[in-house]
Amino acid sequence: MPDFSPTQYAVPLFVAAVLAEMVWARFRRPEAYEPMDTLVSLAFGLGSTVAGALFGGFALYLFIATYEYRLFDFGPEWWSVWWAWPVCFVLDDLKYYWVHRAGHRIRWMWASHVNHHSSQHYNLSTALRQSWTGAFTFGFLFAIPLVLLGFHPAMIAICGGFNLIYQFWIHTEAIDRMPRWFEAVMNTPSHHRVHHATNPRYLDRNYAGVFIVWDKMFGTFEPETNEERIRYGIVKQLGSFNLLWSVFHEWIGMLADIWRSPWKHKLSYLLREPGWTHDGSRETSDMIRERWRKNIGRSAAPNSVAPRNPIAGQGEAA
């Protein structure tokens, strides 16, 4: 089978779409793009490509070695087994849901994935803001079950490439809602805006890659509402366009927490959710959301006082 990388062929489409969205933003939403932010996103994309070329070899070697122990064999011409492609695509997307969810719930993995969420703007260039350090989180291990089922590593890589291409177009505010039937099954700009939001109601929701049904099945779905304006970014914003700080800030923060913490808590700063502290000095997304819900309940009660900003002191988005 010839070497094929769908993302390489999609690059001209990515560039054309970003330019088209810039024209749209110029007349409809000038604040959607900020020049320095866009440059940082482009640098992220370039660096991620280089990092993938440098460190992707280990994952490939592991997959090829594991493939020798596959439970099912599609034959030497596995690429011609037509039904295996859609099955692989769906299972790979299910795998993506869980690795993505882990990327938000395990700080070691969040240290890499936070890069994708660090922009306070939401546009197509944000989709290019990919991590340089993903290989060090070992998220690729989530694909091992697919290899053991008999899907060739090249098939998994191609399906993953098309998954990544699909996710590009959902990083936009230019599209409001898709038809109801589409919104019910597929990931859309509306669903993914929720995922990139720092509003308490939206934190750690909508992990889907292509099919939003996974979030509905596993209890992590949250629809976009018109009740409040979405604020993008991370709970504690970077406040800087420094590229290296943008790439490594969470790794630095995590290592500092591990260094300062008592021995019995060090592993927790590596494996527990972002925001967790042994002394309660910071908040996790679950804590922020629960406080917001309590404040909403008090504000709805008679003679209640207005709730304070649910993420005050947490570096809310602009």
Side-chain angles (χ1 to χ4, degrees), residues 4 6 84-90 92-93 146 151 153-165 210:
F4 174 67
W85 288 95
V87 173
C88 182
F89 185 84
V90 172
D92 179 73
D93 192 56
L146 296 183
F151 297 103
M155 179 181 286
I156 297 171
I158 291 171
C159 288
F162 280 113
N163 192 303
L164 188 64
I165 291 171
V210 174

Side-chain angles (χ1 to χ4, degrees), residues 283 286-296 298 308-312 314:
E283 291 182 302
D286 292 335
M287 295 165 65
I288 295 172
R289 187 184 303 105
E290 183 60 27
R291 177 158 53 81
W292 169 77
R293 285 174 176 168
K294 290 180 179 178
N295 287 339
I296 291 296
R298 285 198 295 268
R308 67 189 180 93
N309 189 325
I311 53 175
Q314 297 294 314

Side-chain angles (χ1 to χ4, degrees), residues 4-254:
F4 174 67
S5 175
T7 53
Q8 291 180 0
Y9 290 92
V11 168
L13 176 63
F14 291 166
V15 173
V18 169
L19 293 176
E21 190 186 44
M22 284 181 172
V23 174
W24 168 85
R26 174 67 177 81
F27 296 99
R28 299 291 298 275
R29 190 167 297 175
E31 71 278 9
Y33 274 89
E34 201 284 334
M36 284 300 299
D37 179 82
T38 302
L39 285 175
V40 170
S41 295
L42 294 175
F44 261 109
L46 178 60
S48 176
T49 301
V50 174
L54 291 175
F55 303 116
F58 175 73
L60 178 61
Y61 171 80
L62 179 63
F63 290 163
I64 292 176
T66 304
Y67 187 66
E68 297 300 318
Y69 301 93
R70 59 193 179 276
L71 300 177
F72 305 100
D73 193 339
F74 299 150
E77 295 186 352
W78 51 265
W79 62 86
S80 65
V81 183
W82 68 267
W83 57 264
W85 288 95
V87 173
C88 182
F89 185 84
V90 172
L91 291 179
D92 179 73
D93 192 56
L94 175 59
K95 177 269 296 181
Y96 177 87
Y97 169 87
W98 284 109
V99 72
H100 192 186
R101 184 168 176 172
H104 281 256
R105 305 300 295 177
I106 300 172
R107 193 178 181 191
W108 178 32
M109 298 183 71
W110 174 246
S112 171
H113 184 62
V114 67
N115 295 164
H116 183 60
H117 287 264
S118 58
S119 174
Q120 292 181 244
H121 299 269
Y122 191 73
N123 53 57
L124 292 175
S125 74
T126 305
L128 307 178
R129 190 175 283 234
Q130 300 294 322
S131 174
W132 297 7
T133 58
F136 300 104
T137 66
F138 299 107
F140 55 83
L141 294 177
F142 283 71
I144 291 294
L146 296 183
V147 179
L148 290 175
L149 284 174
F151 297 103
H152 195 277
M155 179 181 286
I156 297 171
I158 291 171
C159 288
F162 280 113
N163 192 303
L164 188 64
I165 291 171
Y166 180 91
Q167 291 187 56
F168 174 77
W169 77 278
I170 61 178
H171 290 82
T172 185
E173 293 182 304
I175 300 173
D176 184 16
R177 301 288 201 282
M178 301 297 289
R180 178 178 292 183
W181 66 267
F182 196 86
E183 295 275 348
V185 178
M186 308 298 290
N187 201 6
T188 66
S190 176
H191 296 326
H192 206 58
R193 285 192 290 268
V194 165
H195 181 67
H196 276 258
T198 63
N199 308 54
R201 73 164 78 224
Y202 295 146
L203 289 175
D204 284 355
R205 290 296 183 263
N206 298 4
Y207 298 113
V210 174
F211 301 111
I212 198 65
V213 292
W214 307 128
D215 286 285
K216 295 181 178 181
M217 288 175 60
F218 299 118
T220 54
F221 175 70
E222 185 72 34
E224 184 180 25
T225 177
N226 294 324
E227 294 178 9
E228 59 181 311
R229 181 174 178 268
I230 287 182
R231 300 183 295 274
Y232 299 108
I234 52 181
V235 171
K236 185 177 181 181
Q237 303 290 4
L238 288 177
S240 169
F241 292 123
N242 183 293
L243 178 61
L244 293 181
W245 175 248
S246 300
V247 172
F248 297 111
H249 74 278
E250 185 61 17
W251 289 104
I252 295 171
M254 181 181 68

Side-chain angles (χ1 to χ4, degrees), residues 102 104-110 254 265-278 284:
H104 281 256
R105 305 300 295 177
I106 300 172
R107 193 178 181 191
W108 178 32
M109 298 183 71
W110 174 246
M254 181 181 68
H265 294 300
K266 290 186 185 297
L267 192 60
S268 293
Y269 280 101
L270 193 70
L271 300 180
R272 294 198 60 164
E273 63 271 31
W276 178 88
T277 55
H278 70 280
T284 66

